[in-house]
Amino acid sequence: MDAYNPRTVEEVFRDFKGRRAGMIKALTTDVGEFFQQCDPEKENLCLYGFPSEQWEVNLPAEEVPPELPEPALGINFARDGMQERDWLSLVAVHSDAWLLSVAFYFGARFGFYKTDRERLFNMINDLPTIFEVVTGSAKKHTKEKLLVSNHSSKKSKSNSKDEVDDGIEEEDDDEHGEALCGACGENYADDEFWICCDICEKWFHGKCVKITPARAEHIKQYKCPSCSGNKSARPS
């Protein structure tokens, strides 16, 4: 584990966000590599997230007690014993618990008072959990791809048909406003290009999956990294 020790509420929150982003990558965009590294034939393995937004599957720390709280032990043993979606959801739940334990470990170590602990929790709670990102439970995704980069301008309502169209657009804006990126877990923003996977129906920032609006125009059926490149790399 890294030796970085955040000492303020803001530093602990940045540490939390970085580790969270790394673990979300492991369970979404890098899921094929994560799946392969969790070999049940190996020893007890853990999923670690780092402040640098990177992730690692590795053995637990040898020292007792460890420098930081340890993640769930032996996640690799359950890999082939349950449905992949259920296994990823299980790892996600344990990852959420680990992130909280690390954040409040720092809070206790550096003497956060009640108000600081409450502020830290509220900052953390404003973000969707890893479980919510992985399962998509935080957002009811629509099946159509979002190929619009800016929703700020709308057509004027000149007749009844336009009114119906505008009503649909407004409803879409409301839905997209609650969307969460399946890669980074961040919220939808009007000035960002997004695209929806036609297989798992999760939304992604174009920049997170390296898809531009111009490229998306030529994609008949978009498949996210998790749905497109991993089925051949592991059993279904």
Side-chain angles (χ1 to χ4, degrees):
M1 306 293 291
D2 33 38
Y4 170 64
N5 289 322
R7 295 173 178 269
T8 67
V9 171
E10 288 73 22
E11 287 177 347
V12 172
F13 182 61
R14 284 197 298 270
D15 180 272
F16 175 92
K17 286 187 67 177
R19 295 178 189 275
R20 171 181 171 275
M23 301 179 96
I24 287 176
K25 286 180 183 177
L27 298 173
T28 56
T29 56
D30 298 346
V31 69
E33 182 181 352
F34 172 66
F35 187 94
Q36 292 176 350
Q37 290 191 26
C38 290
D39 186 348
E41 298 299 321
K42 296 182 179 179
E43 299 181 57
N44 287 289
L45 295 175
C46 301
L47 172 61
Y48 294 94
F50 298 105
S52 60
E53 300 188 4
Q54 302 301 312
W55 61 273
E56 178 182 69
V57 172
N58 209 337
L59 297 172
E62 294 183 1
E63 68 267 21
V64 178
E67 180 183 355
L68 290 177
E70 285 290 307
L73 184 67
I75 58 173
N76 51 316
F77 293 148
R79 191 194 75 176
D80 296 338
M82 56 197 307
Q83 292 291 326
E84 181 181 330
R85 182 182 296 272
D86 293 336
W87 175 65
L88 292 174
S89 298
L90 178 66
V91 175
V93 168
H94 284 293
S95 297
D96 282 320
W98 179 67
L99 288 177
L100 281 174
S101 67
V102 171
F104 281 87
Y105 164 82
F106 285 131
R109 180 174 179 180
F110 296 113
F112 286 7
Y113 291 107
K114 177 181 178 181
T115 54
D116 288 334
R117 293 195 305 271
E118 183 176 4
R119 186 157 65 94
L120 175 60
F121 179 78
N122 288 336
M123 293 168 72
I124 290 173
N125 204 37
D126 283 339
L127 295 173
T129 64
I130 296 178
F131 176 81
E132 288 173 332
V133 173
V134 170
T135 62
S137 59
K139 174 71 178 66
K140 293 181 180 179
H141 299 292
T142 60
K143 293 184 179 181
E144 297 180 356
K145 292 176 289 185
L146 178 61
L147 299 175
V148 180
S149 60
N150 195 327
H151 285 245
S152 59
S153 62
K154 290 183 179 295
K155 295 180 180 179
S156 61
K157 301 179 181 180
S158 58
N159 54 45
S160 59
K161 182 179 184 299
D162 287 339
E163 290 180 2
V164 172
D165 290 342
D166 284 345
I168 293 174
E169 287 183 7
E170 289 172 1
E171 181 179 346
D172 287 344
D173 280 348
D174 291 340
E175 277 206 28
H176 297 149
E178 299 174 358
L180 303 172
C181 177
C184 69
E186 297 299 326
N187 293 326
Y188 168 79
D190 285 344
D191 59 349
E192 294 177 313
F193 168 71
W194 278 49
I195 190 167
C196 182
C197 175
D198 289 313
I199 305 303
C200 66
E201 300 179 9
K202 290 184 179 180
W203 288 97
F204 297 88
H205 289 108
K207 62 183 179 181
C208 289
V209 292
K210 299 179 180 179
I211 298 292
T212 63
R215 183 181 174 189
E217 291 289 349
H218 301 285
I219 299 176
K220 293 182 179 179
Q221 183 183 58
Y222 174 66
K223 295 182 181 180
C224 70
S226 298
C227 295
S228 61
N230 300 318
K231 290 186 177 180
S232 59
R234 62 184 189 274
S236 57

